[in-house]
C-alpha cells in the first residue's frame, strides 16, 4: 500500500513538473483594452515576445477606474490560474481565453504621495501605478520637491526584452495635477496657447514672435509613454509631476531622438535599462528690442519655469559608464559646442547623431555621469536614489 501511495505522489510531482506552462504572446494574446496584469511577483513584465506562466501560478486582471470592468465577466478584478497550459477562472473554474478579457476602457492609474524622502531629503517619492487587491504596484517613480513645485527626477525602467513587441497605442490622456499645489484646471490653463501668448506679451511686448500656433511650450514628458509596454502603463505617465514646459520643436526633435536612442539601446541589450530624467536651470530668452535676458515662467507666481536643459541618465550593467544625454530647451539661439559644459562622449559610445548639433531642434550632447554631475551639480557623486540591485559606476 505504501509503495502504491509513493508511486502516486511521484506521479503527481512529475506531472506537475512536466505540465505545459501557459504562455502570453504580445501583442497577439492581449485583449484591447488590456487590464492591468499582476503576477504573484508583481506587475507582469514580459521577458520576450512570449512569456510563460508556470503551472499553478496565478495571473490577476484588474480594470482600474470607476465603472471599469472586465467586459464579459462584468467584474473589475478577475484572477486566473494556469493549469495544463490553459488559464482557468479561480472563482468559477471555467477556462478563459486571455484575449477575450478586455476592459471597458484603458485602466486609470493613480499617483500616491509617500512620506519616503529622496535625493538626500530634497523631495519625497511619488509612486505612479495601480492599486490591485489592496496592493499598490508602481509603474514608475517621481522624486518631487513640493516646497518648490519641482520634479527632481522621474525614474523608470525601459523593458528592453519587450520593446519590439509593445503596444503601439495612439491614445492620449489628459494630464492630471495630482501631488501639485495647483489644480488640474489651473495647470492646464498655464499650458494653453492663449495663456502662453499673454505671458510672452508681458515679457516681450504684443509683437512677440516666440509663441504662435506652431511654436509653443509643450508638456514635455520626463518618463515618456513610449518607453512602456502596455497601454495602461503608457497612459500612467500623464501627470504634470512627470513633465515640464518644453518647446514643441525640441520635444518632437532632438529630445524625441534621445528617447528613441534609449529605447533602441534597451532593445539591443534585451534587458532593463534604468533611466532618470530631469531638468536644469531656467530658460532665458533674449528680448530683441533691448537684448536683455528674460527668465521664462508659465505662471505669474513663477513656480512653473521653462527649463534651460533637459537631461536623461542611462544606466545598464554592460555599459562601461553611466551616460547622460543633455538637450538644450532653446530653439531660437544658434549655438554649438561652446554650450557643452562636460566632455562630449556621444562618439565614444556610438550614440552620435548628426541631428544633435541642430540647435533649432534642441542642441544635444552626451557626457559620462560623473563628469556631468561635477559640472552641473557642483558635487562629487550623484545622489539620485537607486533601486535594489543597481549601482553607480566609478
Amino acid at each position: 500500500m505504501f509503495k502504491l501511495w509513493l508511486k502516486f505522489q511521484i506521479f503527481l510531482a512529475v506531472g506537475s513538473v512536466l505540465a505545459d506552462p501557459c504562455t502570453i504572446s504580445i501583442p497577439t494574446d492581449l485583449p484591447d483594452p488590456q487590464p492591468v496584469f499582476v503576477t504573484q511577483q508583481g506587475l507582469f513584465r514580459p521577458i520576450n515576445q512570449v512569456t510563460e506562466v508556470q503551472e499553478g501560478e496565478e495571473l490577476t486582471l484588474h480594470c482600474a477606474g470607476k465603472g471599469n470592468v472586465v467586459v464579459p465577466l462584468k467584474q473589475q478584478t478577475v484572477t486566473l490560474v494556469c493549469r495544463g497550459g490553459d488559464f482557468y477562472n479561480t472563482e468559477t473554474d471555467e477556462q478563459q481565453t486571455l484575449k477575450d478579457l478586455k476592459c471597458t476602457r484603458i485602466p486609470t492609474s493613480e499617483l500616491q504621495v509617500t512620506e519616503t524622502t529622496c535625493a538626500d531629503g530634497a523631495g519625497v517619492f511619488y509612486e505612479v501605478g495601480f492599486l490591485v487587491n489592496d496592493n499598490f504596484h508602481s509603474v514608475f517613480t517621481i522624486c518631487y520637491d513640493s516646497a518648490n513645485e519641482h520634479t527632481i527626477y522621474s525614474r523608470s525602467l525601459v523593458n528592453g526584452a519587450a520593446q519590439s513587441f509593445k503596444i503601439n497605442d495612439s491614445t492620449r490622456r489628459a494630464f492630471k495635477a495630482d501631488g501639485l499645489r495647483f489644480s488640474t484646471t489651473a495647470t492646464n490653463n498655464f499650458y494653453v496657447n492663449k495663456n502662453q501668448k499673454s505671458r510672452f506679451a508681458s515679457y516681450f511686448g504684443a509683437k512677440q514672435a516666440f509663441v504662435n500656433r506652431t511654436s509653443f511650450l509643450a508638456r514635455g514628458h520626463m518618463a515618456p509613454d513610449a518607453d512602456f509596454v502596455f497601454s495602461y502603463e503608457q497612459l500612467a505617465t500623464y501627470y504634470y509631476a512627470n513633465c515640464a514646459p518644453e518647446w514643441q520643436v525640441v520635444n518632437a526633435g532632438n529630445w524625441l531622438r534621445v528617447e528613441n536612442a534609449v529605447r533602441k539601446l534597451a532593445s539591443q541589450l534585451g534587458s532593463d535599462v534604468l533611466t532618470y530624467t530631469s531638468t536644469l536651470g531656467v530658460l532665458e530668452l533674449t528680448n530683441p528690442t533691448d537684448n536683455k535676458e528674460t527668465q521664462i515662467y508659465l505662471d505669474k507666481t513663477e513656480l512653473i519655469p521653462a527649463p534651460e536643459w533637459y537631461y536623461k541618465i542611462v544606466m545598464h550593467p554592460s555599459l562601461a559608464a553611466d551616460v547622460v544625454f543633455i538637450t538644450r530647451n532653446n530653439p531660437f539661439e544658434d549655438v554649438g559646442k561652446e554650450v557643452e559644459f562636460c566632455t562630449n562622449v556621444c562618439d565614444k559610445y556610438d550614440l552620435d547623431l548628426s541631428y544633435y548639433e541642430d540647435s533649432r531642434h534642441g542642441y544635444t550632447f552626451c557626457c559620462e555621469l560623473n563628469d556631468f554631475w561635477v559640472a552641473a551639480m557642483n558635487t562629487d557623486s550623484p545622489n539620485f536614489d537607486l533601486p535594489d540591485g543597481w549601482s553607480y559606476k566609478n
Side-chain angles (χ1 to χ4, degrees):
M1 187 70 179
F2 174 75
K3 289 183 178 180
L4 182 61
W5 176 85
L6 183 60
K7 287 180 180 179
F8 180 66
Q9 294 301 312
I10 293 172
F11 171 78
L12 289 178
V14 171
S16 176
V17 171
L18 297 179
D20 291 333
C22 298
T23 59
I24 301 175
S25 178
I26 56 173
T28 54
D29 288 346
L30 300 181
D32 183 22
Q34 309 105 49
V36 179
F37 296 116
V38 180
T39 69
Q40 290 168 219
Q41 290 74 42
L43 281 179
F44 174 56
R45 289 183 61 79
I47 59 171
N48 209 317
Q49 184 171 12
V50 178
T51 302
E52 293 183 348
V53 177
Q54 299 304 317
E55 175 80 8
E57 289 188 354
E58 293 183 348
L59 179 70
T60 297
L61 283 58
H62 181 69
C63 297
K66 186 176 181 180
N68 199 9
V69 296
V70 178
V71 174
L73 303 177
K74 297 181 173 58
Q75 297 173 243
Q76 188 169 44
T77 306
V78 176
T79 299
L80 309 178
V81 63
C82 176
R83 201 161 65 226
D86 293 308
F87 285 113
Y88 289 84
N89 190 315
T90 57
E91 288 186 10
T92 65
D93 206 36
E94 293 181 5
Q95 186 176 335
Q96 307 277 191
T97 301
L98 199 60
K99 195 173 182 66
D100 295 338
L101 303 179
K102 68 178 182 179
C103 290
T104 311
R105 61 183 182 277
I106 297 173
T108 303
S109 65
E110 57 184 275
L111 182 150
Q112 289 196 351
V113 178
T114 78
E115 296 181 354
T116 305
T117 60
C118 53
D120 291 338
V124 297
F125 281 134
Y126 288 4
E127 297 290 349
V128 179
F130 300 91
L131 186 66
V132 183
N133 291 336
D134 297 325
N135 293 312
F136 190 79
H137 300 276
S138 182
V139 174
F140 73 101
T141 302
I142 299 168
C143 179
Y144 197 77
D145 173 9
S146 58
N148 296 300
E149 210 74 314
H150 171 64
T151 301
I152 299 171
Y153 62 76
S154 287
R155 183 184 75 193
S156 60
L157 290 172
V158 183
N159 185 344
Q163 274 298 301
S164 299
F165 317 108
K166 68 185 179 186
I167 305 303
N168 292 311
D169 196 330
S170 60
T171 304
R172 295 293 180 266
R173 180 162 283 171
F175 279 79
K176 296 186 290 186
D178 298 28
L180 272 64
R181 190 177 311 175
F182 295 113
S183 68
T184 294
T185 300
T187 313
N188 283 339
N189 288 337
F190 294 143
Y191 278 90
V192 298
N193 199 269
K194 181 179 179 181
N195 175 72
Q196 291 189 32
K197 286 181 178 178
S198 176
R199 291 292 300 153
F200 276 73
S202 71
Y203 288 141
F204 306 110
K207 294 184 178 180
Q208 64 82 26
F210 294 105
V211 175
N212 53 48
R213 186 175 58 84
T214 58
S215 175
F216 55 89
L217 288 161
R219 300 163 177 86
H221 270 92
M222 294 190 189
D225 53 1
D227 278 5
F228 296 95
V229 175
F230 300 110
S231 300
Y232 55 84
E233 296 174 321
Q234 294 164 9
L235 293 193
T237 62
Y238 284 74
Y239 289 91
Y240 280 114
N242 183 45
C243 79
E246 182 176 30
W247 290 103
Q248 175 60 19
V249 70
V250 177
N251 185 38
N254 279 336
W255 188 246
L256 177 59
R257 293 186 177 106
V258 166
E259 293 174 339
N260 286 337
V262 174
R263 289 189 281 269
K264 181 180 178 181
L265 175 65
S267 188
Q268 289 171 340
L269 294 169
S271 56
D272 287 342
V273 167
L274 177 63
T275 67
Y276 292 83
T277 309
S278 187
T279 61
L280 281 175
V282 179
L283 173 65
E284 292 185 344
L285 294 178
T286 304
N287 191 327
T289 60
D290 58 13
N291 288 325
K292 289 184 178 179
E293 298 294 315
T294 300
Q295 290 189 330
I296 305 301
Y297 293 84
L298 285 188
D299 65 307
K300 292 180 180 179
T301 58
E302 298 189 346
L303 282 174
I304 305 179
E308 181 180 7
W309 300 94
Y310 271 72
Y311 68 91
K312 187 179 292 288
I313 300 169
V314 181
M315 302 175 64
H316 188 273
S318 71
L319 295 177
D322 304 322
V323 177
V324 188
F325 289 91
I326 308 127
T327 296
R328 195 164 188 258
N329 187 31
N330 185 347
F332 305 104
E333 188 177 353
D334 187 16
V335 298
K337 294 185 181 298
E338 72 277 2
V339 299
E340 297 177 6
F341 51 80
C342 46
T343 303
N344 192 338
V345 295
C346 287
D347 277 340
K348 179 179 177 181
Y349 292 102
D350 197 26
L351 299 170
D352 190 44
L353 280 177
S354 59
Y355 297 110
Y356 285 168
E357 294 184 1
D358 180 3
S359 58
R360 296 169 301 173
H361 294 89
Y363 187 90
T364 297
F365 61 105
C366 323
C367 295
E368 292 184 355
L369 175 57
N370 289 335
D371 185 20
F372 165 84
W373 204 265
V374 170
M377 310 298 183
N378 295 315
T379 58
D380 291 336
S381 56
N383 68 337
F384 286 179
D385 311 84
L386 293 166
D388 291 342
W390 291 83
S391 59
Y392 290 116
K393 296 183 177 70
N394 294 325

